[in-house]
Amino acid sequence: MNLCIVEYPDKRLRNKSIKVEKFDSKLHNLLDAMYPLMLQTNGIGLAAIQVGVALSVLILNIPDEDGEQPKENLIEIINPVLTNQRGETTYQEGCLSVPSFYEDIDRFEFLTVNYQDRDGNTQTLEADGLLSIAIQHEYDHLQGVLFIDKLTSSRRRKFEKEYKKMLKEKKTSK
Ligand code: QAP
Ligand code: CO
């Protein structure tokens, strides 16, 4: 499977992802293709809609203390439901679908996520820190929400201006 990252302002990022019903080889092929793409593009989290597939699927690989991302730390989350969201934290977020832009975003500090693994087994994970932030960021993608939607209106206008300029420069340098 040859995938590429869908970038803002592509409208596909606004699609709502639907529940996975079949835990078959098609799903496994998607997951197996998302992981190397995420590593190649220096990502720590990726939702299926970011490769144009509107399924409730996301993967996470939070770097360890040495900044490494071994495959045993890969978490595959299907059909997530977030509960028990509490506390507050702020982190400078980025997104593979919004390249080269980073901004402080407020999130819950802790949460519990109920989900299914690639075989359809029910799982529960309690998260804090960067993992919790990443889960909330990727969960938003499944609802068609981007981190830039959480900016104040004045910051958002500044972003749109800067981003358009960046896209224009990208085009002329090609
Ligand atoms: C979501 O984001 C996230 O602009 C994952 O040029 C963000 O992997 C989770 C990236 C913050 C937790 C905290 C962004 C790579 C990667 C870029 C990413 C870029 C290259 C973003
Ligand atoms: Co993102």
Side-chain angles (χ1 to χ4, degrees), residues 159-173:
F159 158 75
E160 294 291 346
K161 216 177 130 191
E162 287 170 7
Y163 194 79
K164 269 187 198 130
K165 190 173 165 229
M166 195 263 302
L167 288 181
K168 226 171 134 187
E169 280 162 4
K170 228 179 178 177
K171 252 191 200 162
T172 51
S173 71

Side-chain angles (χ1 to χ4, degrees), residues 88-93 103-109 133:
E88 276 176 49
T89 187
T90 305
Y91 190 83
Q92 191 178 51
E93 296 191 17
E103 191 60 87
D104 281 357
I105 303 293
D106 298 330
R107 299 283 186 183
F108 296 109
E109 189 175 6
I133 294 164

Side-chain angles (χ1 to χ4, degrees), residues 75-127:
I75 308 175
E76 298 174 336
I77 294 184
I78 296 147
N79 301 331
V81 177
L82 307 190
T83 60
N84 219 1
Q85 297 184 99
R86 61 207 188 277
E88 276 176 49
T89 187
T90 305
Y91 190 83
Q92 191 178 51
E93 296 191 17
C95 179
L96 287 171
S97 296
V98 190
S100 308
F101 181 77
Y102 306 88
E103 191 60 87
D104 281 357
I105 303 293
D106 298 330
R107 299 283 186 183
F108 296 109
E109 189 175 6
F110 307 99
L111 59 79
T112 303
V113 55
N114 297 304
Y115 66 99
Q116 285 168 287
D117 63 21
R118 64 159 62 209
D119 301 312
N121 299 313
T122 303
Q123 306 285 349
T124 299
L125 178 64
E126 284 182 31

Side-chain angles (χ1 to χ4, degrees), residues 38 41-46 50 60 62 69 91-102 107 130-135 137-138 141 147:
M38 181 175 74
T41 51
N42 297 313
I44 63 170
L46 184 67
Q50 293 181 272
L60 300 162
I62 305 300
Q69 290 174 288
Y91 190 83
Q92 191 178 51
E93 296 191 17
C95 179
L96 287 171
S97 296
V98 190
S100 308
F101 181 77
Y102 306 88
R107 299 283 186 183
L130 190 54
L131 179 60
S132 168
I133 294 164
I135 291 169
H137 176 112
E138 300 309 332
H141 276 297
F147 81 109

